[in-house]
């Protein structure tokens, strides 16, 4: 039952600086107490499987919840709404299509391998398309995109002992600093 209530997390810092905070996950917010943890750490709006499943056009993905394709469509609408407000925002998205053990292959993609690699390739394309969409938006100039994996390994590859992470459009002039962190 430890939700790290006393930890200082990025959304806590940003909320104190006036950011709108939004969290969306294709799976249930009840899984691993995600909803409770995110609410304790300053996320003002939370959406998960139970809040999303009845939206017209939503497609179920793997056993965890809605498909990444559906999630990206929802988040595009939400980002467009947030960008119209006169406040900076933090939007966190948790996708599912490549989550082990139940990867989901979206039929909008084509199969090449006939195994889990197809789901990864498809999810990569959808993530790329989403990033390209963000980069075309008026708000992109002042937006940093951070992509972070949630496991060291998955059903398709093993990357050693580091969790995948990449930063797109970071603030210029920052110096790399070693520190302990967790997703």
């Amino acid at each position: 039952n430890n939700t790290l209530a006393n930890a200082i997390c990025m959304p806590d810092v940003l909320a104190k600086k006036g950011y709108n905070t939004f969290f969306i996950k294709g799976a249930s917010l009840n899984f691993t107490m995600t909803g409770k943890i995110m609410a304790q750490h300053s996320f003002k709006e939370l959406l998960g499987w139970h809040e999303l499943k009845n939206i017209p056009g939503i497609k179920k993905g793997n056993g965890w919840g809605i498909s990444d394709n559906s999630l990206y469509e929802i988040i595009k609408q939400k980002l467009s709404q947030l960008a119209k407000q006169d406040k900076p925002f933090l939007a966190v998205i948790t996708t599912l299509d490549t989550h082990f053990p139940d990867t989901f292959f979206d039929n909008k993609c084509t199969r090449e391998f006939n195994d889990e690699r197809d789901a990864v390739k498809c999810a990569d394309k959808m993530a790329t398309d989403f990033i390209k969409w963000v980069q075309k938006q008026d708000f992109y100039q002042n937006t940093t995109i951070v992509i972070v994996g949630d496991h060291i390994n998955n059903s398709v590859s093993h990357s050693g002992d580091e969790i995948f992470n990449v930063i797109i459009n970071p603030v210029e002039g920052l110096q790399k600093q070693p520190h302990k962190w967790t997703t």
Side-chain angles (χ1 to χ4, degrees), residues 89-135:
F89 60 86
L90 167 68
V92 174
I93 309 159
T94 300
T95 60
L96 302 172
D97 284 1
T98 61
H99 200 285
F100 181 79
D102 205 11
T103 58
F104 174 74
F105 178 75
D106 194 296
N107 60 12
K108 78 175 243 171
C109 297
T110 56
R111 290 193 180 272
E112 180 180 341
F113 305 104
N114 292 315
D115 59 28
E116 293 168 332
R117 292 175 293 176
D118 288 327
V120 172
K121 186 176 177 182
C122 182
D124 286 350
K125 181 179 180 340
M126 285 188 282
T128 299
D129 291 346
F130 173 71
I131 291 166
K132 287 179 179 179
W133 176 86
V134 170
Q135 290 172 325

Side-chain angles (χ1 to χ4, degrees), residues 14 19 35 57 68 77 79 101 114 116 137 142 144 158:
L14 295 177
Y19 279 63
D68 290 359
Q77 293 173 17
L79 290 177
N114 292 315
E116 293 168 332
Q137 304 310 302
N142 297 315
T144 299
H158 182 70

